[in-house]
Amino acid sequence: MNEVEIQRQKEIKEAEELLFTGPQALGFAKGLFLGRFVSDWAMPYPRVPAAQQADLDKSLAEVREFLDQNLDPVAIDRAADIPQQVIDGLAHVGVLGMTAPKEYGGRGFSQRAYCKVLEEIGARCASTSVFTNAHHSIGIRALLLFGTREQKQRWLPPLVTGQQLAAFALTEKEAGSDAANVQTQAVPSADGAHYILNGEKRYITNAAIAQVLTVMARTPIPGSDKTAITAFLVTPDMPGFTMLEPRMEKLGIRGTATGRFAMRDMAVPKENILGPLGKGLKVALTVLDFGRTTFGACCTGAAKTCLRLAVEHANTRRQFKKTLGEFDLVKKKIGRMAADIYAMEAMTAVTASLIDRGLEDYMLETAMLKVFTTERLWEAVNDAFQIHGGSAYFNDSPLERMLRDARINQIGEGSNEVLTSFIALVGMRGPGMEFKEIYDTMFKPSRGLGKAWTAGMNRLGAAVKIPSVPVKSESLRSQASQLGRLIWRFNLSVNRALIKYREPVMDMQLVQERIAGVAMEMFASACVISRLDSQLQGVGRNGDSPAGNHRAAELFLRQSFHRIRRFLSELTDNDDRQLLETANVALGKESAANRNGF
Ligand SMILES: Cc1cc2nc3c(=O)[nH]c(=O)nc-3n(C[C@H](O)[C@H](O)[C@H](O)COP(=O)(O)OP(=O)(O)OC[C@H]3O[C@@H](n4cnc5c(N)ncnc54)[C@H](O)[C@@H]3O)c2cc1C
């Protein structure tokens, strides 16, 4: 086995361990890859439970009032700091512990309801939304999900009331996208009472202002010479904790304190281990799943601000004796923004509700939400910027700041490239396993032809049957049946890619990008259909007016279906070979395209 193959086997083993711990209900996204529309997860459109709606309305009103009166995103950006009074105010209105159970001082909100609150913050100030995410969505999340009762009782109350702040520290020099490559070591002390941590973390939001940090470090696996990642609760007053750089200067979200710190022979009590020993990667990735839903909410809020600014300018600025909004090329940008925002909001609501409803495996949906909303926000900022022309370029323009702020989203909490590849590979695993079953059985007749026959028929069944997308509104039947047909085509294309490329498809990221792209668009379209159906039936709630912007939804579906068809046709008609060869020449590498089997 060569080095690449050994690394591949290691990654597969890690992924298996992380993702497939036992039988789980078929999720929405995994269903798409199998040619199914698992409607229960997306329909009917999720509503905040009636019992929580009054609480949410009250909190939203309080949060809005507080933000309108006290949050100054320009001042935060200029000073590169979020004033303590803002942090105290967020704590006062409950934002810093909103999803924590009431018994620990939190508000007990669902993820769906919390996303509505985060959307408000994201619409106003990205520094503040990233600070809040780092504290609540990922900082205290491991404690909420994996903490023992004693740990929760001890650590949560000051954190959920904002007396203390939290951070989540995974990233290191050698562990960026490759999160499993954490090098920080944690070795048990001689008496077994502590773990001694040595290592450095970088790019950690809130590191310098947090009193509690969830730190990932590598611990020995008892009885073997191997190590695995474990999550620890760390406080900066532990001897050996050194802040190397409390506020790294940066392009955007300048109000956040992004830091770098070292741990030198730092003793951490073994009681501070969060979750099972050696299962820290699972802890980290589960935490990030939660973070990705609120990421989606913040991006939706920011995109709404872009649309508002674009519309205001397009309706007032005159050139060639017309307002800008009278030009079709400006309308094109505004229409697309409105359509995308409709989808971003719907996708955020559906994804958050998967968590609330207890679906165990929502990694694909949260990854899709993160990639989709961050890319669409980037387009929205860019388009709003373009509509504002030169005026956007100057420091007194909110769009200048928003453009800088939005850039981190495609990189942080899993870069979009890594997540795109992840979506395709994890999604294809379902059909891939079925093929493997057929293949294995064919070559091992002792395992019984009956099994191969069943698996083969399942495949065939999925391949010939167009899934039904159940809608209540007559006017949506056509879009619903188009989506059903596209899911059917997608399933055929995934099967074809698996048969054609077999194992090497794991390295073929251009193929993966199209497959993930289709899956994301189909998920977004399903959420849009679900939301529109609910609005047409007059049951829109949660600020979702029954009248709604139906045109935006319809435009989104048309544009999304076009993108899906384009991705599907590019699976067989593309320039991949030439593109890879050109890149290889530029990179000074031998051609890898032939190796990849194009
Ligand atoms: C402002 C800010 C705040 C942050 N806050 C936190 C925090 O609170 N906690 C924390 O733990 N981390 C935090 N991070 C770290 C962040 O999560 C990482 O920057 C991110 O995971 C990417 O890692 P990296 O920067 O090392 O980039 P690399 O891993 O070096 O990747 C660089 C680029 O290479 C490409 N790439 C990498 N791998 C692949 C692949 N397999 N396939 C295709 N392309 C690939 C991608 O385009 C990627 O953007 C923060 C970062 C920033 C900038």
Side-chain angles (χ1 to χ4, degrees):
M1 234 191 273
N2 63 24
E3 209 178 305
V4 175
E5 194 52 33
I6 292 170
Q7 175 65 15
R8 156 83 47 73
Q9 293 302 332
K10 191 174 142 236
E11 282 167 14
I12 292 173
K13 194 166 168 292
E14 276 169 5
E16 294 277 343
E17 193 187 312
L18 273 170
L19 301 172
F20 313 110
T21 45
Q24 286 156 354
L26 180 65
F28 186 81
K30 283 189 179 164
L32 291 175
F33 282 85
L34 292 165
R36 298 190 203 147
F37 187 85
V38 190
S39 59
D40 283 359
W41 293 122
M43 293 172 158
Y45 190 65
R47 298 168 64 175
V48 173
Q52 215 175 76
Q53 186 69 49
D55 269 358
L56 173 62
D57 290 344
K58 185 166 166 279
S59 287
L60 273 175
E62 270 176 12
V63 169
R64 281 188 194 120
E65 190 186 341
F66 168 76
L67 297 174
D68 288 346
Q69 289 178 5
N70 298 282
L71 191 70
D72 182 347
V74 177
I76 287 175
D77 182 58
R78 296 242 166 95
D81 191 19
I82 301 173
Q84 187 59 42
Q85 168 235 343
V86 170
I87 296 176
D88 292 344
L90 290 172
H92 183 72
V93 292
V95 168
L96 300 186
M98 215 144 228
T99 67
K102 288 186 176 162
E103 61 176 305
Y104 303 116
R107 301 259 169 132
F109 272 30
S110 63
Q111 195 68 5
R112 165 93 171 90
Y114 185 50
C115 281
K116 292 301 292 176
V117 175
L118 258 291
E119 188 190 306
E120 290 292 329
I121 305 178
R124 291 164 171 85
C125 174
S127 287
T128 308
S129 64
V130 171
F131 154 77
T132 309
N133 260 332
H135 167 79
H136 188 318
S137 292
I138 59 175
I140 62 170
R141 183 60 57 190
L143 245 174
L144 287 170
L145 292 174
F146 297 96
T148 61
R149 191 160 174 77
E150 292 72 41
Q151 285 174 326
K152 287 181 188 169
Q153 277 169 339
R154 179 178 161 206
W155 296 92
L156 277 176
L159 286 167
V160 300
T161 49
Q163 287 159 267
Q164 291 188 342
L165 297 174
F168 172 81
L170 171 63
T171 304
E172 303 176 2
K173 188 159 182 274
E174 303 303 332
S177 299
D178 188 1
N181 198 34
V182 163
Q183 298 296 312
T184 295
Q185 300 294 324
V187 182
S189 60
D191 63 359
H194 292 84
Y195 276 79
I196 310 301
L197 268 64
N198 275 291
E200 281 184 21
K201 296 283 176 185
R202 69 175 187 182
Y203 308 163
I204 308 302
T205 308
N206 292 356
I209 57 172
Q211 287 77 28
V212 181
L213 300 94
T214 304
V215 170
M216 302 297 153
R218 205 160 265 291
T219 47
I221 300 177
S224 101
D225 57 354
K226 299 203 171 62
T227 56
I229 297 172
T230 297
F232 289 88
L233 282 167
V234 161
T235 57
D237 56 2
M238 290 176 171
F241 185 101
T242 314
M243 188 53 62
L244 300 172
E245 206 175 342
R247 286 178 182 269
M248 302 168 79
E249 288 201 13
K250 56 191 189 293
L251 173 80
I253 54 165
R254 283 167 41 80
T256 58
T258 316
R260 205 160 64 80
F261 63 90
M263 293 157 290
R264 305 268 180 254
D265 295 328
M266 187 178 82
V268 180
K270 70 176 185 345
E271 293 73 31
N272 288 20
I273 289 180
L274 266 179
L277 184 73
K279 296 288 176 199
L281 199 51
K282 181 162 184 153
V283 172
L285 297 186
T286 311
V287 164
L288 290 173
D289 276 330
F290 276 74
R292 286 173 193 145
T293 55
T294 43
F295 228 86
C298 295
C299 289
T300 306
K304 284 184 179 179
T305 302
C306 290
L307 179 60
R308 178 176 57 76
L309 293 171
V311 167
E312 279 168 16
H313 193 72
N315 278 335
T316 48
R317 167 80 174 152
R318 294 179 72 83
Q319 287 289 273
F320 305 100
K321 299 193 169 58
K322 287 177 173 182
T323 59
L324 296 181
E326 289 174 77
F327 295 103
D328 286 357
L329 288 177
V330 172
K331 283 184 184 158
K332 177 182 166 188
K333 294 179 178 59
I334 288 179
R336 192 171 53 195
M337 242 185 266
D340 285 349
I341 289 167
Y342 189 97
M344 291 163 84
E345 193 169 348
M347 238 173 142
T348 304
V350 171
T351 309
S353 80
L354 296 180
I355 293 180
D356 293 335
R357 290 170 61 198
L359 175 67
E360 270 184 53
D361 176 5
Y362 37 76
M363 277 188 165
L364 279 187
E365 289 83 357
T366 53
M368 286 180 184
L369 176 70
K370 195 271 180 179
V371 175
F372 183 88
T373 53
T374 57
E375 294 292 342
R376 296 310 157 93
L377 171 60
W378 183 244
E379 266 181 45
V381 177
N382 196 36
D383 282 350
F385 200 99
Q386 188 70 14
I387 291 170
H388 277 71
S391 68
Y393 209 77
F394 294 91
N395 286 356
D396 60 350
S397 154
L399 284 162
E400 178 269 343
R401 170 176 47 80
M402 290 180 74
L403 187 91
R404 285 187 285 108
D405 286 347
R407 193 60 189 84
I408 181 58
N409 297 327
Q410 288 140 307
I411 297 169
E413 294 198 19
S415 77
N416 286 6
E417 288 80 3
V418 171
L419 290 178
T420 297
S421 178
F422 172 85
I423 292 162
L425 290 180
V426 175
M428 284 195 290
R429 190 179 185 274
M433 289 305 284
E434 286 189 7
F435 279 126
K436 189 169 180 304
E437 180 123 319
I438 299 172
Y439 183 84
D440 287 352
T441 318
M442 293 295 184
F443 287 88
K444 281 186 210 152
S446 60
R447 291 183 62 194
L449 268 175
K451 220 173 169 191
W453 179 255
T454 314
M457 284 303 102
N458 281 345
R459 279 302 61 239
L460 202 61
V464 292
K465 210 167 139 214
I466 294 177
S468 141
V469 176
V471 285
K472 292 204 171 71
S473 316
E474 192 57 42
S475 60
L476 265 175
R477 297 249 186 272
S478 157
Q479 286 100 326
S481 84
Q482 282 184 67
L483 180 60
R485 278 199 300 278
L486 288 171
I487 293 171
W488 173 77
R489 266 186 72 188
F490 174 59
N491 175 246
L492 277 187
S493 301
V494 169
N495 292 349
R496 268 195 210 122
L498 284 164
I499 292 167
K500 185 171 173 191
Y501 303 120
R502 302 184 62 90
E503 284 241 324
V505 80
M506 294 187 76
D507 285 326
M508 298 170 74
Q509 292 193 329
L510 302 179
V511 174
Q512 292 165 15
E513 186 179 37
R514 295 183 189 106
I515 287 175
V518 175
M520 257 184 295
E521 291 289 349
M522 292 195 310
F523 180 40
S525 290
C527 298
V528 165
I529 287 179
S530 173
R531 181 178 176 197
L532 183 54
D533 198 25
S534 131
Q535 286 175 332
L536 291 170
Q537 298 298 307
V539 293
R541 285 285 306 269
N542 317 323
D544 221 14
S545 91
N549 188 351
H550 299 178
R551 290 229 162 80
E554 282 156 13
L555 173 64
F556 181 83
L557 292 174
R558 283 185 71 88
Q559 294 196 328
S560 180
F561 293 168
H562 282 311
R563 288 190 289 266
I564 292 173
R565 290 190 187 100
R566 196 165 58 239
F567 278 133
L568 289 174
S569 72
E570 284 177 359
L571 276 169
T572 46
D573 180 12
N574 57 57
D575 307 322
D576 291 0
R577 182 188 166 89
Q578 291 77 359
L579 184 138
L580 292 178
E581 282 179 355
T582 307
N584 283 330
V585 171
L587 287 161
K589 291 190 193 306
E590 234 181 279
S591 165
N594 291 336
R595 192 195 65 216
N596 276 346
F598 283 96

